[in-house]
Amino acid sequence: EMGELVVKSILNGGKVLICGNGGSAADAQHLAAEFLIRLTSEVNREGIPAISLLQDSSTFTAAINDFEPKDLFKRNLQTLAKSEDILLAISTSGESENIVQVLKTAKEIDIKTLGFLGSEGGESLKYCDLSFVVPSNKTARVQEVHITAGHALIEYVEAKLLKEGFLNLS
């Protein structure tokens, strides 16, 4: 279902906006790079539009300095998102205030929301159209499953977009 929502977003001119904190921020950037560049050398395809909401260090430190930490991703989402986009929020607890805020904001501006969450999903679960919850409180295990799920999501999306003729092999 997540893959279908992402494919629909891309086919309608949207992009995947991804965010997370700490290791999940690294996962967000990792997945954005694999959407943009490629997942494997076996499928050398055109890029799929995606961006991490954790921009460069200047944007991050300006946001933290000028606004509340809870608004870090919200501010970037409001600035960069359009209605065709889709948000993937990654949180090992589902309780991070800036993740909850960005998911709420996405709902307010009518952007579909996906959650890669841990534990029992936390507060974030309420604001996700679809979620993948890893039932563990061990951060490392949750992150390992999230990155695997992210790879599977990208593999599904790229295969579907290739089949639809939206993407070409390079």
Side-chain angles (χ1 to χ4, degrees), residues 3-25:
E4 287 298 322
L5 278 181
V6 172
V7 167
K8 182 178 178 186
S9 168
I10 301 301
L11 290 174
N12 287 324
K15 64 188 164 297
V16 184
L17 302 153
I18 315 171
C19 62
N21 294 299
S24 297

Side-chain angles (χ1 to χ4, degrees), residues 23-88:
S24 297
D27 288 347
Q29 291 176 331
H30 175 156
L31 294 173
E34 289 178 336
F35 272 114
L36 286 167
I37 307 304
R38 66 180 183 191
L39 181 61
T40 68
S41 59
E42 290 81 37
V43 182
N44 194 16
R45 44 118 175 120
E46 296 174 309
I48 299 169
I51 190 168
S52 168
L53 290 179
L54 181 64
Q55 298 291 308
D56 55 85
S57 59
S58 297
T59 304
F60 172 75
T61 56
I64 292 299
N65 188 59
D66 296 351
F67 300 99
E68 298 287 324
K70 69 180 177 64
D71 294 329
L72 171 66
F73 300 125
K74 173 184 174 179
R75 175 78 173 188
N76 291 345
L77 181 80
Q78 290 171 319
T79 304
L80 296 171
K82 57 185 184 176
S83 61
E84 299 83 10
D85 294 341
I86 193 158
L87 173 68
L88 171 57

